[in-house]
Amino acid sequence: MNEKLDARTKWTYCIGATGRDAAYALVSMYLILYVQYTMNLTSAQFAVISGAMILCMVWDAINDLLMGIIIENTHFKMGKFKPWILIGCITNAIVIVCLFTIRPSGWGFVAFYSLFYLLWGMTYTMNDIAYWGVLPSLSSDPGTRDSLVTIMSIFVCIGQFSVAGVVPVVIAGNAVNAYRIVALIVALALICFQMLTAFGIKERPRKEQKDKLSLKDMFHIFARNDQLVASGLASIFFNITNNILIVFGVNFFYTEYGYSESGTLVFYFTVMYGLGMLISQASYAGLAKRFSREKILKVCFIVLLIGYACFMAFGYVLPKNVILLNAIGFVIFFFQGLMNLAIVVMINNTIEYDEARFHERHDSVISAVRSFSVKLAGGINQGLSTLVLIVSGVYAKSQSISALEIEVNKGNLSSEEVLAEANKYISEITAQQALIFRIGMVLIPVLALIISYVIIKKKYHIDEAEYARLIREK
């Protein structure tokens, strides 16, 4: 299991992340903004959509675990993981195009959106669990695994940045049509990059389990693995921290700088996101060789608390300077990237922990915990962000802008007229509403970060020395 990876498997696996994470970024970052700024929905309809998304994400989080069982029981000629990578990417691409293209009105849209968002989660899960399940099965060597995670994460950043950076620039003033075109391009990229992975990697032959895993077996695997429980809980709370700033991001720029100017400013901020994440991913393997994971996590925790404090003070205590804002963003994204990789490695290391103790190996089931935590955190974030948007009054203003975007799609208004009118609506947001919105952006991730770090410190004990011992004894 410690053999050197062949170059073809290494690079086709890592490069394949580009398309899948571009697709994930489009849906996770911009689908709700597409609804908010291009559909004319009441607060009740928007709340129901958000509620449906929460339920779908909770189900999807559970479905991640079930998918892990299905993959463990897979015996296709093509392999254990590759069939699900292909099936998932093709079906998910179709659903993405539908989500950004089909536009019934009112409660009809609520019903359509709820169903297709559920389908999006289920089809993405097929691909996601299979793709991540390949990773720990490729090598148990910590150096090889850290290197693979690092390279793959670089392509994750490229995929995410390609969407996160472009979308804000092209949508304002012609949002309905722009989202439709972007969705089609991203869906095609998803299929192409994941086909590269599916037909490029070589799955290692593995010893098959004597009996098929059941739902009861899955819960037994989780219950007996205390380190998986600890790292899984820490991952849930960290992913609330990791994603909430992005969820709020575009709305923040709209409220602070106006509708017409925000596209360029969001692009610059997204560059900081891309650079911060990319540099952190590229440097993680090197840092992991020089510093213990415990030290890396401690520094990340302290710097992130300082970063969020600066973000809260921006425009109030600190000057409202775009360069300063981008610097704060870079620091936050860089250290979030480092902490995220550390937690991913922590979860993967519980596979060997389980194998050493119980002489069984369940890559897919245990790897599904990472995806489970991301999806569950996404559901929590959706509920919290919707609450903040409605309570602060920002959602009501966004609906006025949405009505304008609908008119320009019909040809009744020009893009220039939309941008001018939208800026007037944004200027009506009061200082109190902006403050409530800012507090929500900062308080939620800070509390989640503290809980995540405390869980790691108190409950997780697989350090580098312990992992080396587990590898020797399994």
Side-chain angles (χ1 to χ4, degrees):
M1 189 54 89
N2 290 333
E3 309 117 67
K4 184 178 180 181
L5 283 178
D6 65 280
R8 173 177 163 177
T9 294
K10 177 180 179 180
W11 288 105
T12 56
Y13 176 74
C14 293
I15 294 172
T18 308
R20 68 185 300 280
D21 278 87
Y24 184 77
L26 177 64
V27 175
S28 63
M29 296 172 65
Y30 292 107
L31 182 59
I32 195 63
L33 287 167
Y34 165 76
V35 174
Q36 185 182 350
Y37 286 96
T38 73
M39 296 301 302
N40 194 2
L41 302 174
T42 65
S43 294
Q45 290 168 339
F46 185 69
V48 170
I49 278 180
S50 296
M53 290 179 71
I54 295 169
L55 292 176
C56 289
M57 288 180 186
V58 172
W59 158 247
D60 202 29
I62 298 170
N63 191 42
D64 286 348
L65 306 180
L66 298 177
M67 194 66 210
I69 294 178
I70 293 172
I71 293 174
E72 284 291 338
N73 294 330
T74 292
H75 298 286
F76 291 125
K77 183 177 180 180
M78 189 179 183
K80 178 177 173 180
F81 301 102
K82 292 193 284 187
W84 295 108
I85 290 175
L86 281 174
I87 295 169
C89 76
I90 294 170
T91 54
N92 191 249
I94 294 170
V95 173
I96 287 173
V97 173
C98 292
L99 278 169
F100 286 94
T101 303
I102 301 174
R103 295 173 55 84
S105 60
W107 288 106
F109 179 80
V110 174
F112 158 78
Y113 182 92
S114 301
L115 173 61
F116 271 75
Y117 190 79
L118 176 65
L119 293 175
W120 172 78
M122 294 180 71
T123 54
Y124 186 80
T125 290
M126 294 179 192
N127 176 271
D128 191 48
I129 301 304
Y131 182 82
W132 280 93
V134 172
L135 174 59
S137 70
L138 295 179
S139 176
S140 293
D141 176 67
T144 301
R145 186 175 285 181
D146 285 345
S147 176
L148 193 61
V149 168
T150 298
I151 296 171
M152 180 266 294
S153 297
I154 290 172
F155 286 100
V156 167
C157 290
I158 293 172
Q160 291 178 346
F161 176 72
S162 64
V163 169
V166 171
V167 172
V169 177
V170 302
I171 57 172
N174 191 21
V176 176
N177 192 49
Y179 273 119
R180 184 183 297 122
I181 294 172
V182 170
L184 181 59
I185 294 171
V186 169
L188 291 173
L190 167 61
I191 294 174
C192 292
F193 278 97
Q194 284 297 280
M195 286 182 71
L196 176 67
T197 295
F199 292 109
I201 63 173
K202 295 179 181 179
E203 290 190 25
R204 295 180 182 273
R206 297 198 46 79
K207 183 180 179 180
E208 298 292 344
Q209 302 294 332
K210 293 182 179 180
D211 301 313
K212 289 191 174 184
L213 287 176
S214 66
L215 188 61
K216 182 180 179 181
D217 294 329
M218 179 187 71
F219 285 112
H220 177 65
I221 292 168
F222 295 153
R224 74 189 185 188
N225 194 332
D226 60 306
Q227 297 301 281
L228 177 62
V229 172
S231 56
L233 286 173
S235 181
I236 291 170
F237 284 101
F238 175 73
N239 276 293
I240 293 174
T241 300
N242 199 33
N243 297 325
I244 196 71
L245 194 62
I246 299 300
V247 172
F248 281 123
V250 174
N251 279 294
F252 166 78
F253 279 95
Y254 286 165
T255 58
E256 293 292 331
Y257 294 99
Y259 193 67
S260 61
E261 299 297 325
S262 291
T264 302
L265 296 177
V266 172
F267 173 77
Y268 292 148
F269 196 70
T270 305
V271 170
M272 294 301 103
Y273 168 77
L275 288 176
M277 296 295 287
L278 191 62
I279 295 173
S280 67
Q281 316 289 2
S283 58
Y284 178 77
L287 291 173
K289 291 179 181 178
R290 298 184 59 187
F291 304 100
S292 68
R293 192 163 51 247
E294 180 182 5
K295 288 183 179 179
I296 292 174
L297 289 169
K298 184 177 181 179
V299 171
C300 289
F301 175 70
I302 293 171
V303 175
L304 285 173
L305 288 180
I306 296 172
Y308 275 103
C310 292
F311 187 81
M312 183 67 223
F314 178 78
Y316 294 106
V317 178
L318 298 176
K320 191 175 180 179
N321 180 280
V322 173
I323 296 176
L324 175 61
L325 178 61
N326 284 316
I328 294 170
F330 175 82
V331 170
I332 290 175
F333 295 132
F334 176 83
F335 285 95
Q336 279 183 346
L338 282 183
M339 192 166 181
N340 179 60
L341 279 184
I343 292 176
V344 168
V345 171
M346 286 166 56
I347 292 174
N348 285 339
N349 287 353
T350 67
I351 295 173
E352 282 73 29
Y353 175 78
D354 193 64
E355 186 177 14
R357 293 180 67 195
F358 303 103
H359 309 292
E360 297 177 3
R361 188 178 178 94
H362 302 288
D363 305 81
S364 300
V365 172
I366 293 178
S367 295
V369 171
R370 183 211 62 84
S371 184
F372 170 85
S373 66
V374 172
K375 303 287 181 59
L376 186 58
I380 295 170
N381 279 346
Q382 181 58 43
L384 293 172
S385 61
T386 299
L387 181 63
V388 172
L389 285 169
I390 292 175
V391 170
S392 65
V394 172
Y395 178 73
K397 296 300 178 185
S398 71
Q399 281 303 280
S400 299
I401 298 173
S402 178
L404 296 173
E405 290 286 6
I406 291 172
E407 290 302 310
V408 75
N409 187 56
K410 294 177 179 178
N412 297 330
L413 290 175
S414 67
S415 295
E416 292 75 16
E417 290 173 320
V418 169
L419 295 176
E421 288 297 316
N423 284 336
K424 292 180 182 178
Y425 290 128
I426 293 295
S427 66
E428 295 172 359
I429 295 175
T430 67
Q432 182 181 10
Q433 289 174 322
L435 179 60
I436 293 172
F437 184 72
R438 183 80 67 88
I439 290 172
M441 286 187 70
V442 173
L443 185 61
I444 293 169
V446 166
L447 289 177
L449 176 65
I450 292 171
I451 295 171
S452 177
Y453 185 71
V454 169
I455 291 173
I456 292 171
K457 288 287 290 181
K458 298 292 185 182
K459 299 296 182 180
Y460 190 84
H461 309 301
I462 307 176
D463 58 14
E464 287 80 357
E466 174 65 9
Y467 183 74
R469 185 187 70 81
L470 293 172
I471 293 298
R472 291 194 301 268
E473 296 183 1
K474 70 176 185 177

